[in-house]
Amino acid sequence: MKPYSLHRLYHPVRDYVFIAIGTLLFGFGFNGFILSAEVVPGGLTGVCSLLFYLTKIPVSVTYAAVNIALLLLAYKLLGLRFMVNTVFGVVTLTCSLMFFEWLLGGRPIIKDEPFMSILIGGALCGAGLGIIFSANGSTGGTDIVGAIVNKYRNISIGRTLLLCDFIVIGSSYFLFHDIEKIVFGFVEMAVNNYVLDRVMNANNQSVLFLIFSQKHEEITRRIISDLGRGCTLLDAQGGYSREPAKMIVLLAKNRESVTVFRLVKSIDQRAFISQSPVRGVYGEGFDPIKC
């Protein structure tokens, strides 16, 4: 197989691996800590939880049934690639829910500690969702709504799902008539969305480098060839020496920071580098411009 073909194959396979890992985290956190504590979370799993408490139909069954109707919407608005990843996410999460339903049998992992359960469960579910969305996937349900809004507007997926979560969790009062369970549901929602945003931002965080070096030409060539990043050369002047100099302005992903430092050090150990986080970078090679 040609190297180019291997390169094209690598990214879809990597996405599917991470989606599978994310669904396993979600399934374990949901069944082991949230559902067993009789707490209703937000989103479609919350709706399925309410149906489970009313009818004892397994969450995995209702979850799969509802998502079939939503796949057409994902195909129309988010494209074939997203729908394929959504189908994969729905199937793997359904299997994950079924597996942990069988493995745990509805027994809580932490007994008589509902607050600790929802904290751990919310963190696991949020991390799982963050991994799934970072791999361009979806678990269906209200996640599709969040992904659509995130695509066309600069609004995080966690915030988009907030309203849906409020409605689902609030409606659980009509089933349990218990304010404490609603409070637990909102706590789980907050932890879930916080961890989701943290995982997503950790993957997309960008940094700004200002590099001062007499070997700026070689550093610029290596940045373009090794990192595949563009950069800008600006004229500068030393405040003390008054001699002319060049400043390299580079925007890169946070995960590329170590590579940048090693690259510059291998060329000029006396280079001066400033690194600072940036709130958002939009354009080619980064996030699409949203307005």
Side-chain angles (χ1 to χ4, degrees):
M1 186 178 292
K2 296 180 179 179
Y4 179 70
S5 299
L6 288 173
H7 179 73
R8 294 185 62 183
L9 184 63
Y10 167 75
H11 291 288
V13 171
R14 183 195 63 177
D15 287 348
Y16 295 145
V17 170
F18 277 105
I19 291 172
I21 293 172
T23 55
L24 284 173
L25 277 176
F26 188 96
F28 175 65
F30 177 78
N31 279 289
F33 297 95
I34 298 175
L35 189 68
S36 58
E38 293 190 343
V39 174
V40 176
L44 181 58
T45 50
V47 176
C48 295
S49 298
L50 289 172
L51 293 174
F52 169 75
Y53 296 133
L54 282 171
T55 64
K56 298 304 178 182
I57 298 175
V59 172
S60 57
V61 174
T62 53
Y63 178 83
V66 173
N67 270 298
I68 292 175
L70 294 173
L71 293 176
L72 291 176
L73 181 64
Y75 172 72
K76 182 177 180 180
L77 297 179
L78 301 174
L80 179 62
R81 174 69 182 278
F82 184 88
M83 195 193 76
V84 171
N85 286 355
T86 301
V87 172
F88 183 77
V90 169
V91 171
T92 53
L93 183 53
T94 301
C95 293
S96 176
L97 291 171
M98 293 177 66
F99 172 73
F100 287 110
E101 285 171 356
W102 166 79
L103 182 66
L104 300 175
R107 298 183 300 273
I109 294 179
I110 302 178
K111 296 182 179 180
D112 302 322
E113 291 288 345
F115 187 72
M116 183 63 68
S117 293
I118 62 171
L119 289 180
I120 298 174
L124 288 172
C125 291
L129 288 175
I131 294 171
I132 292 167
F133 282 120
S134 297
N136 196 34
S138 170
T139 57
T142 55
D143 295 348
I144 293 178
V145 179
I148 292 172
V149 175
N150 182 254
K151 180 179 180 180
Y152 295 103
R153 292 289 185 269
N154 187 23
I155 303 174
S156 70
I157 294 173
R159 293 178 182 177
T160 305
L161 301 181
L162 197 61
L163 179 60
C164 296
D165 292 345
F166 265 102
I167 295 173
V168 174
I169 295 172
S171 63
S172 66
Y173 178 79
F174 299 102
L175 177 63
F176 295 114
H177 301 286
D178 189 343
I179 297 296
E180 185 179 84
K181 290 186 180 296
I182 295 179
V183 173
F184 283 166
F186 283 129
V187 172
E188 187 278 335
M189 176 192 69
V191 174
N192 188 318
N193 284 285
Y194 174 78
V195 175
L196 167 61
D197 278 343
R198 293 294 294 179
V199 172
M200 292 289 293
N201 290 333
N203 186 65
N204 296 322
Q205 180 67 53
S206 299
V207 290
L208 171 67
F209 288 97
L210 301 179
I211 305 170
F212 299 85
S213 172
Q214 295 296 325
K215 300 180 180 180
H216 51 84
E217 291 290 349
E218 184 178 355
I219 293 174
T220 301
R221 286 196 301 269
R222 289 282 302 279
I223 288 173
I224 296 173
S225 63
D226 294 6
L227 292 179
R229 291 285 182 193
C231 56
T232 302
L233 281 173
L234 300 179
D235 292 323
Q237 184 182 48
Y240 179 77
S241 65
R242 297 297 177 181
E243 294 185 0
K246 291 287 186 179
M247 178 176 65
I248 302 172
V249 180
L250 170 64
L251 286 165
K253 293 294 187 180
N254 187 50
R255 59 179 178 270
E256 298 172 320
S257 297
V258 175
T259 304
V260 172
F261 279 108
R262 289 176 178 173
L263 185 151
V264 175
K265 184 179 179 181
S266 67
I267 299 172
D268 184 5
Q269 295 190 7
R270 300 184 63 184
F272 181 84
I273 307 175
S274 171
Q275 176 189 4
S276 58
V278 293
R279 185 173 181 84
V281 181
Y282 305 96
E284 186 175 354
F286 294 90
D287 297 327
I289 299 175
K290 304 172 184 178
C291 60

